[in-house]
Amino acid sequence: MSASVIFVNKFHQLLSVRSLNAARYLSTSKLCSQKEECKVLVVGAGSGGCAMAAKLSSKLDKGSVIVLEPADKHYYQPMFTLIGGGMKRLEQSCRSMSDVIPKNAKWIKEKAIEFDPKSNTVTTSSGKKITYDVLIVGTGLQLNYNKVPGLEEALSIPNGNVCSIYSPKYVDRTYEALQNIKEGNAIFTFPASPVKCPGAPQKIMYIAEHYFRRSNKRNKINITYNTALPVLFGVKYYADALWPICKERNIKVNLRRNLIEVRPNENLAIFQNLDKPEEIFEEKYSMLHAVPPMSAPDELAKCTELVNETGFVDVDKNTMQHVRHKNVFAIGDSSGSPNSKTAAAAAAQSPVIYKNIIAFLNGKDLKGSYDGYASCPLVTGYNRCILAEFDYDLNPLETFPIPQNKERYSMFFMKKELMPSLYWHMMLPGYWNGPALMRNALSVFNIGTKKN
Ligand code: UQ1
């Protein structure tokens, strides 16, 4: 190699090292400037996050509230069972995120990838560090379709017979599957994990059963509900109403049976008996409605400072304040409080958390207390619904002065026609605090044995 070539090479190396260093310097300085500060940081703009951001941003000075949310679209998920049954369309459940995040809050369209409650900081996907006085975790939970071997593959087959109302990606396949099945086994599952809206896996089954009857194919289809739970429904008062429905409508319920694999090529679903793990069942399906295992989002679950042993935020179940980090609160599905994970629960939590955050910011005692209220409109067909409402003790906590453990058209109408408007126009803007006020007002009509 000639001296001149060596010289040119060295010169290039030098140049590239220089430019590398320059790039590094630039990116570090950019990172340093990527800092944000706020009074309240809301992570997640789902039902709970939007309601909290709306309440707090209208009370605190402009710019005090930051909302961290990467998604473009916000879905009203309680509509997904109705979409699965062909009663609503996916577009009706969806709004642009920019329309639901309150205008007084600053939206950072990124994901939280690291929580550091010791330094009051959340790091975003681009490396931005956001420091806060108060953090509200409202990330929701994560759908782990990938934890069941073969399931994602089955769900990706065009016009296939495996469906799932839990994701906007797969919900439309459900109504297609109801239409396409002609005969054989329709299998519905419930996973061995915490589940959002734990009634939904059986609601879609009742709707399917009604659909098959209406389309004159019910007698050619066997319906099975394989649930990992030891009960049909967690609240005995409503479970006692659901068992006879399954019996009358010839739906076979297998408890403690967990979906562990799907073999789409053979139309086989593999289940395990959770009480006798050595017992494995292969069941042939003509249609499979699969509910994925769920967990806290990985980014949250890895922050052991924040979460309890289940991976959800370790809050006091009444104040919704973190047990150690007093400036951290959780709302909705990401909370470790032992309530049922439903939008109605987030609605009932929202005034409590709001009151407690204002008290916390003013150095006062926290007086707000959440009673575990959750509501689950158990749609049992195209015109019937049992409106389950209950508290932490799994005692009924019903709003209306009539026994709600019966299938009623009025409750179906409320779920299908009234709830969406209540959600968009009352809950997300922070005005809906759950039905406690209504329940108290209506309780004057409670006569006889009904106790709330
Ligand atoms: C509710 O508060 C709520 O949150 C907005 C729901 O989610 C959409 C519900 O489905 C229900 C039933 C309630 C409770 C409301 C009443 C009026 C009983």
Side-chain angles (χ1 to χ4, degrees), residues 76 78 342-345 347-348 373 375-377 387-389 399-400 404 414-415 419-420 422-423 427 432-435 438:
Y76 172 56
T342 71
Y373 173 85
S375 154
C376 185
L387 179 61
E389 294 179 277
T399 301
F400 300 102
Q404 287 177 208
M414 190 186 79
K415 158 81 183 167
M419 279 300 143
L422 180 111
Y423 182 80
M427 179 163 179
W432 177 245
N433 292 329
M438 196 194 274

